């Protein structure tokens, strides 16, 4: 619930989202927005997960969290919260299918 959101958010929001805008991604500020980078990074994030549509929507939400204040840490916190809620659902209600 902690390390995976950090790694995924650094990869998808910290690197890929900005790399889709410019080869000099390290020179871009985090609030820099383009539809291509927003949608492509979210779809690729969704493709990485078992449920691609839910993963894509989650990726869009995490990108929005980052854009809101320009901090990858915000997206990481929302991602970790999502994972904690999914874990609680699995453990409490026994919805083991969520962990494919």
């Amino acid at each position: 619930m902690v390390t995976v959101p950090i790694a995924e958010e650094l990869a998808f929001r910290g690197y890929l989202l900005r790399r889709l805008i410019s080869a000099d991604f390290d020179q871009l500020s985090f609030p820099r927005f383009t539809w291509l980078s927003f949608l492509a990074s979210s779809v690729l994030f969704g493709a990485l997960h078992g449920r691609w549509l839910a993963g894509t929507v989650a990726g869009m939400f995490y990108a929005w969290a980052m854009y809101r204040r320009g901090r990858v840490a915000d997206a990481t916190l929302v991602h970790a919260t999502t994972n904690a809620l999914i874990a609680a659902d699995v453990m409490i209600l026994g919805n083991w299918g969520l962990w494919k």
Side-chain angles (χ1 to χ4, degrees):
M1 288 187 320
V2 176
T3 57
V4 171
I6 292 170
E8 287 184 349
E9 292 311 315
L10 287 174
F12 284 93
R13 262 50 77 184
Y15 172 74
L16 181 62
L17 188 135
R18 294 185 304 152
R19 179 65 174 89
L20 291 169
I21 296 171
S22 172
D24 294 327
F25 71 94
D26 56 339
Q27 303 300 318
L28 294 176
S29 64
F30 283 105
R32 178 85 183 271
F33 179 85
T34 68
W35 280 107
L36 173 66
S37 65
F38 175 76
L39 294 173
S41 65
S42 297
V43 168
L44 289 171
F45 181 83
L48 177 70
H49 294 79
R51 292 176 162 81
W52 70 269
L53 182 58
T56 299
V57 172
M60 295 168 99
F61 187 68
Y62 303 154
W64 172 81
M66 186 207 61
Y67 283 129
R68 191 168 155 250
R69 294 195 306 186
R71 300 187 327 196
V72 175
D74 291 348
T76 304
L77 180 61
V78 174
H79 191 154
T81 302
T82 303
N83 285 3
L85 292 171
I86 291 170
D89 188 6
V90 169
M91 298 295 190
I92 295 168
L93 301 176
N95 291 325
W96 295 99
L98 294 175
W99 276 351
K100 285 190 202 180

